[in-house]
Amino acid sequence: QAQLVESGGGLVQPGGSLRLSCAASRSIFSINVMGWYRQTPGNERELVANITSGGSTNYVDSVKGRFAISRDNAKNTVYLQMNSLKPEDTAVYYCNVETFRSSYGTRYIYWGQGTQVTVSS
């Protein structure tokens, strides 16, 4: 069983929309930050958006106003709504989850398997 399972990627035309989902196993506790990264050939993996347990969000400049990250804590799931997609958004998108147990001071990082998003005519 994968600890993070991504879905929602695919092929979309420029200007279209996709919604990515990432479901974390309920065995993962004390989730602090959930987010999405993306990577294209020859480039470093970059942060797209993340969201804290309190609902604070952060976005890379290139997606501000177009993407929206949200989370459903009851489902241990994070979403990325992507609107007005551009060819430059084409990448493999990876879910990222950070846990922190304050009582133990223990932090763990989890990665999804990656889902391909292709924006093309």
Side-chain angles (χ1 to χ4, degrees):
Q1 289 290 325
Q3 293 180 292
L4 302 180
V5 179
E6 301 180 27
S7 62
L11 175 65
V12 65
Q13 294 183 334
S17 298
L18 287 173
R19 189 178 76 155
L20 305 183
S21 298
C22 174
S25 170
R26 289 192 294 172
S27 67
I28 300 177
F29 294 95
S30 302
I31 295 176
N32 181 22
V33 181
M34 307 181 81
W36 293 92
Y37 289 70
R38 66 186 179 188
Q39 188 169 28
T40 56
N43 294 307
E44 298 291 324
R45 187 173 298 184
E46 70 168 351
L47 173 69
V48 179
N50 60 23
I51 182 169
T52 70
S53 59
S56 297
T57 59
N58 181 60
Y59 300 91
V60 67
D61 287 344
S62 61
V63 309
K64 288 180 178 177
R66 300 189 297 119
F67 291 10
I69 190 169
S70 61
R71 62 193 284 174
D72 185 337
N73 291 331
K75 297 181 178 179
N76 255 24
T77 299
V78 62
Y79 306 93
L80 185 66
Q81 179 66 47
M82 304 186 294
N83 300 321
S84 302
L85 283 162
K86 305 174 181 180
E88 64 195 81
D89 296 316
T90 296
V92 177
Y93 285 70
Y94 296 90
C95 180
N96 172 267
V97 170
E98 177 186 324
T99 70
F100 182 72
R101 299 185 66 185
S102 59
S103 60
Y104 292 92
T106 305
R107 190 184 307 275
Y108 293 99
I109 303 294
Y110 302 87
W111 288 98
Q113 81 280 7
T115 184
Q116 178 70 47
V117 171
T118 302
V119 184
S120 176
S121 298

